[in-house]
Amino acid sequence: MDKNNVFSRYHGSLVSLAFNSKDSLGRRFCDDTDLAYNFLDPFFLDREKIRLSKSYRRLADKTQVFPTHLQSNIRNRLIHTNDVVNLSSIFASVLGLNVYLSEAIAYGHDIGHAPFGHLGEKLICQLSRKNFSHNIMSVVTAQKIERKGMGLNLTYETLEGVLTHSRGTGQMKINSNVTEEATLVMYADKIAYTFSDLNDALRVEVLNEKFLPCVVKYFGDNQRERISKISFDFIKESSEEGRISFSKSESAIKFAELRTWMFENVYLVLDKEDYRKKTLASVKKIIKFMDNGYLDPFLAIACMTDSEVLDLSKKLSLKNKNLELNYGFIEIIDNFWGKHIDIFTPDLNKKDFLRENL
């Protein structure tokens, strides 16, 4: 195989399926600040709005899988997001899909993530007795939390991609009702976190290289080799199938096997650790403190970062009557006292978006 021609043979193979930016359903409302830039691609604007948002910046203080204090090279939620952007951009560029749309979805896919990764998500579900999910909260954040409640006013297609990217522990089934770019980001997300989380698990010695399953070796000896191989195999299968696809090739089957192994041997195992039980106690304490009838305590928790939860919980334990809440999340939730923000439903209806608002 000509190493200099690995990706070029598939360049532009899905260009006919690329979403045309001119066909966007538009935005919810007309914003004068958007009008100044309406000569630019709407998804380029979406990308920049998300990239410059508070919720995107705050991902730096949210867990991906392992607490960052364990080792300075551990990935946080922001690093994971950037990894997904990187893969999405490469995949879309090679295949000929809409790069700006792919990047916008990738940048926004986790902006509503709770603190402590999926543990925080589970705790909110457990304590609220409702189905809280980060993909829904990401849409809520983009539409109703950012900019003091005004929202980022993103296009429908970006929000749709954000909403539909998650698959949980289930199979990576393709949603035929969304854009190819949304499906591409869904796969990029799974590829990014599976290999990065494996890499971090080895780094903190949760896993031992000697006892990894053979399927890991199939993809390579290190992070760079593994990402390079699966990227090529993903692009190759998608090109040959004539649409975004990663379920039929040997590489796709082995990747699904590895992902299942990671859930069984890393993700689900970590939920039983003592420090995660302590996290539950901290979250409960804050919910009790915030539950005053004027603010949804689950909204507050969902908007907090890891360090904010830990620090506030510590202060509450001291029972300080002159408690000062000098936290970034206060700047966010301060706009929602006495207001109801439904963090459990995305409120994403096509009829609410108008092309003339681009």
Side-chain angles (χ1 to χ4, degrees):
M1 180 182 294
D2 182 1
K3 292 183 178 180
N4 295 320
N5 196 33
V6 170
F7 288 102
S8 62
R9 70 182 65 184
Y10 302 117
H11 187 250
S13 56
L14 299 186
V15 67
S16 63
L17 301 181
F19 187 85
N20 190 329
S21 299
K22 295 179 180 180
D23 293 331
S24 173
L25 292 180
R27 310 183 187 280
R28 274 186 176 270
F29 57 90
C30 184
D31 188 333
D32 288 344
T33 57
D34 288 340
L35 290 177
Y37 301 100
N38 64 2
F39 62 94
L40 297 174
D41 187 288
F43 303 126
F44 170 82
L45 291 181
D46 281 359
R47 185 192 74 178
E48 294 307 292
K49 287 180 179 185
I50 297 168
R51 195 176 61 82
L52 298 174
S53 68
K54 289 187 183 73
S55 52
Y56 172 72
R57 296 198 300 274
R58 288 168 62 78
L59 293 177
D61 190 23
K62 294 188 179 185
T63 295
Q64 169 58 18
V65 173
F66 302 98
T68 54
H69 71 263
L70 295 177
Q71 220 266 18
S72 59
N73 292 322
I74 293 295
R75 294 164 177 83
N76 56 40
R77 186 64 55 173
L78 181 63
I79 298 301
H80 160 71
T81 295
N82 291 340
D83 286 345
V84 177
V85 172
N86 178 264
L87 287 178
S88 298
S89 182
I90 291 173
F91 293 165
S93 295
V94 173
L95 292 169
L97 295 179
N98 191 316
V99 176
Y100 287 148
L101 174 56
S102 300
E103 290 177 340
I105 296 170
Y107 269 115
H109 84 281
D110 271 358
I111 59 171
H113 225 296
F116 307 107
H118 287 283
L119 173 66
E121 195 170 48
K122 291 177 181 177
L123 295 182
I124 294 176
C125 289
Q126 177 183 333
L127 297 173
S128 68
R129 297 181 180 179
K130 294 183 179 179
N131 183 28
F132 176 85
S133 59
H134 72 279
N135 53 313
I136 290 177
M137 185 62 190
S138 293
V139 173
V140 172
T141 298
Q143 294 198 110
K144 300 179 180 180
I145 305 297
E146 277 287 340
R147 296 178 67 213
K148 299 181 179 181
M150 287 183 59
L152 297 175
N153 198 27
L154 303 178
T155 61
Y156 175 83
E157 293 77 22
T158 294
L159 292 168
E160 177 189 59
V162 169
L163 179 63
T164 59
H165 83 272
S166 183
R167 293 297 183 275
T169 60
Q171 295 181 342
M172 295 170 285
K173 294 182 178 179
I174 290 178
N175 184 341
S176 59
N177 296 318
V178 301
T179 62
E180 292 293 309
E181 289 79 4
T183 302
L184 179 150
V185 175
M186 182 273 289
Y187 278 119
D189 176 44
K190 310 304 172 281
I191 291 170
Y193 75 61
T194 299
F195 289 104
S196 293
D197 295 347
L198 171 65
N199 191 246
D200 283 346
L202 291 168
R203 179 170 284 116
V204 299
E205 300 182 345
V206 167
L207 296 177
N208 188 311
E209 193 88 44
K210 296 180 181 179
F211 303 109
L212 293 179
C214 295
V215 68
V216 175
K217 191 71 173 179
Y218 170 84
F219 289 103
D221 294 327
N222 55 56
Q223 179 78 355
R224 184 180 292 273
E225 288 182 7
R226 292 161 189 161
I227 291 296
S228 179
K229 175 171 175 52
I230 199 169
S231 294
F232 174 76
D233 292 342
F234 172 80
I235 288 171
K236 180 176 184 290
E237 179 177 330
S238 295
S239 180
E240 291 175 349
E241 291 296 317
R243 61 180 175 82
I244 295 298
S245 173
F246 198 53
S247 61
K248 298 181 179 181
S249 64
E250 179 183 11
S251 183
I253 294 169
K254 288 188 178 295
F255 176 66
E257 178 185 338
L258 174 59
R259 188 164 169 265
T260 298
W261 186 89
M262 285 291 291
F263 273 98
E264 294 175 349
N265 293 274
V266 178
Y267 305 130
L268 299 181
V269 173
L270 289 176
D271 286 342
K272 299 177 183 178
E273 289 189 358
D274 287 341
Y275 88 90
R276 302 206 168 211
K277 295 177 182 177
K278 294 178 182 178
T279 301
L280 173 60
S282 296
V283 171
K284 281 184 174 180
K285 195 177 299 180
I286 293 172
I287 287 176
K288 183 178 180 180
F289 172 71
M290 291 283 184
D291 194 8
N292 51 26
Y294 295 99
L295 179 72
D296 179 0
F298 298 108
L299 169 63
I301 288 292
C303 290
M304 294 175 77
T305 66
D306 292 20
S307 63
E308 288 173 338
V309 170
L310 296 174
D311 191 68
L312 178 55
S313 174
K314 182 179 180 180
K315 288 182 178 179
L316 292 174
S317 297
L318 298 175
K319 298 182 179 179
N320 187 344
K321 293 183 179 179
N322 298 316
L323 185 65
E324 292 186 10
L325 301 180
N326 298 320
Y327 299 104
F329 83 92
I330 296 297
E331 180 183 340
I332 297 172
I333 66 172
D334 201 38
N335 302 290
F336 304 108
W337 293 94
K339 299 179 181 179
H340 175 66
I341 302 294
D342 187 354
I343 64 174
F344 302 100
T345 55
D347 187 24
L348 187 62
N349 301 304
K350 289 183 178 180
K351 62 181 179 60
D352 296 328
F353 292 77
L354 298 173
R355 280 186 49 78
E356 53 263 37
N357 291 337
L358 284 176

